[in-house]
Each structure stands twice: as structure tokens, then as C-alpha cells.
Amino acid sequence: MLIIVACQFVAPKVGVASPLILLAVGLAIGFLPQVEAIEIEPHIILEVVLPPLLFSAAVRMPTMDFRREMQAVAMLAIPLVFLSAFAVGFVINWLVPAISLPWGVALGAVLSPTDAVAVSIAKCSGVSHRIITVLEGEGLFNDATSLVLLSAAMSAGLAADEHALNPGLLIGKVGIALGIAAGIGWVVGEVGVRLRALIKEPSADTVFSFVMPFIASIPAEHLGGSGLVAAVVAGLVVSRRRAAMISAANRRFSQQNWQTMTLVLESGIFLTMGLQAF
């Protein structure tokens, strides 16, 4: 926690994005002989850390801006991820024939989503608000596309079957995953906002808001959808409806607590990435 606070304090003074400083600090700590290797199970990140982070980002997303850039966001979050992943896969397979196309595409799926550090740097570089909105909107959905593509590519790689990477089949899987997630996220968002309208105590309202991304993501995952997209859709519904249904006191209290939790989770991820890099 002290490292996170120190990096947040130093970042604006040195003109470097705090995630980059946290990565460097984590890497430096990893060289200490007293520090052992740190391993975090992937499902902890996918099921515990990412849903609240994406939910929080969706709640902060201005509804009107998101609607205006919907077409650009959709093009970047789905077709561009596919094109980037397959392009990387073909290049890797061409340069290193020992790596089959499915495994190359799997690596491309990992590399294709927008990096959070890049968005943070863009914000600090005077990039227009409209471009930032597109990048943030894309970041809310492209993880789901890349994860579905990653799963399909790994399955094809283990089965040594390149035909399993049929683009039509993959697009169908992505469409089903997004459809299930969107439906569950919309229901959770609508019901959640109405329940929060009945809660008068700000602390209780905030605690309930902390649970909402998991109420959306867990059922979506079990039904074959994308839990991350479900959390995002629930957050977008809250963003659109909260002003009319949730009291101002509850909104202010919730926003402050969400900012604190988001800072800790995001900073913790980048610090851990630095530690694991070693």
C-alpha cells in the first residue's frame, strides 16, 4: 500500500505514468534475494480482480459519449482483435515454423487487446477526449473477444487441428458469449439499480455495489457467456440509470470508495506484473 501511495505521488512529478513506475518497482523488488517467486492463479485475476475493475470503468463511462462512439468501439473490440491475433499468428508461424498456427494465434490473442498502460499514457499526453472515449470503450469489451479466441486457439493447438480456427465458427462463439453476457448484465444492472434506490444508508449501498459485478459475471460464466462483458453491461446500465434512481449522497459515497478500491486493484496488478516478470 505504501508503494502504491509513493508511486501515485511521484508519477506526476516525473511525468511518467504510475503503472510504468509500479512495473519498474516490482521488477526491482523481484531482484532482492529475500523475495521468493510469486505466482497468482489466472482465475483469480479473471474472476475476482477484473469484474469490479471493468464494472467501475463502465459506471464512469459517460452514456452519451459511449453511444456516440458505439460503432467505432464495436469495430475495434471484435474485428480488429481477430485481425490482429491472426496477423500475429501467421507472422510467428512464418518466422518459427515449429510454432503451429493455433499457438501463434493464441499469442496474438494475448497481445491484441488494448493495454491499460497505453490508455493511461494517452490520457496524460493531451489526446482528444473522443479518442480516449473510444479507447476506454474498446477496452471494456475487447478482453472478452480475446479470451474466447485464446480458448479456441489453445484447444486447436492441443488437438493439432488448424481447421478448428474457422473464422465463422469463432465469430459465432464470440456472438453467443456476448449475447448471453449482455442479457444477464442488463438484468443485473436494472434490478440492482432499483434495489439500490431502496437503500438509504450510503455504506450499505456501497457494499451492495461492490457485489454487483460478481452477481453479473458468475452466472454469465456458468451459462457459457463472458463474465467480463456481463459486468461491463451491468456497469453501463448503472451509469445510465443511477442519476435518476440513486440518491446524490449514496452516489458520492459510492464513487469515493470505488475510486479507492480501483486504485488499489489496478496498482496491485501492475506491481505484481513487475514481480512476476523477474
Side-chain angles (χ1 to χ4, degrees):
M1 296 295 180
L2 292 176
I3 292 174
I4 292 172
V5 173
C7 290
Q8 289 293 320
F9 177 77
V10 170
K13 296 184 179 298
V14 299
V16 178
S18 59
L20 295 178
I21 298 178
L22 287 163
L23 283 171
V25 171
L27 187 61
I29 293 175
F31 278 100
L32 298 177
Q34 299 88 349
V35 178
E36 298 181 358
I38 295 179
E39 295 291 338
I40 298 180
E41 293 294 329
H43 71 86
I44 294 178
I45 301 297
L46 293 174
E47 300 174 10
V48 179
V49 177
L50 287 182
L53 285 178
L54 292 176
F55 177 85
S56 175
V59 171
R60 296 195 307 269
M61 175 72 67
T63 306
M64 294 301 296
D65 290 349
F66 183 77
R67 285 181 179 177
R68 186 184 65 238
E69 309 299 343
M70 177 69 77
Q71 183 177 358
V73 168
M75 291 297 296
L76 292 172
I78 300 177
L80 184 59
V81 171
F82 273 92
L83 292 174
S84 301
F86 274 92
V88 171
F90 279 114
V91 170
I92 290 178
N93 179 245
W94 177 64
L95 293 175
V96 188
I99 300 177
S100 64
L101 179 60
W103 289 113
V105 173
L107 178 59
V110 173
L111 298 175
S112 55
T114 305
D115 183 31
V117 179
V119 178
S120 299
I121 294 174
K123 287 182 178 179
C124 301
S125 303
V127 178
S128 71
H129 174 72
R130 186 168 185 176
I131 294 177
I132 294 297
T133 300
V134 172
L135 291 175
E136 289 183 334
E138 178 207 0
L140 295 176
F141 291 97
N142 60 15
D143 286 335
T145 306
S146 62
L147 287 173
V148 172
L149 183 56
L150 175 63
S151 176
M154 291 180 64
S155 299
L158 293 172
D161 181 13
E162 296 188 6
H163 298 291
L165 290 175
N166 183 285
L169 181 62
L170 292 176
I171 292 174
K173 288 183 177 180
V174 172
I176 293 173
L178 293 179
I180 293 173
I184 293 176
W186 180 81
V187 171
V188 171
E190 289 287 349
V191 175
V193 167
R194 284 169 170 75
L195 290 176
R196 291 180 64 182
L198 303 175
I199 301 174
K200 305 305 179 184
E201 173 59 38
S203 299
D205 172 71
T206 300
V207 172
F208 182 78
S209 72
F210 286 161
V211 182
M212 285 188 66
F214 301 106
I215 297 176
S217 64
I218 294 174
E221 288 288 344
H222 282 285
L223 293 176
S226 169
L228 300 181
V229 172
V232 168
V233 173
L236 291 174
V237 173
V238 173
S239 175
R240 181 173 64 90
R241 306 277 284 171
R242 61 177 177 168
M245 303 193 69
I246 302 174
S247 68
N250 284 9
R251 293 201 307 272
R252 286 194 299 270
F253 193 86
S254 174
Q255 182 179 6
Q256 292 172 352
N257 283 277
W258 268 103
Q259 287 177 344
T260 302
M261 187 181 73
T262 299
L263 173 63
V264 172
L265 289 178
E266 287 182 345
S267 301
I269 287 176
F270 288 109
L271 185 61
T272 305
M273 287 172 60
L275 290 169
Q276 289 189 323
F278 173 75

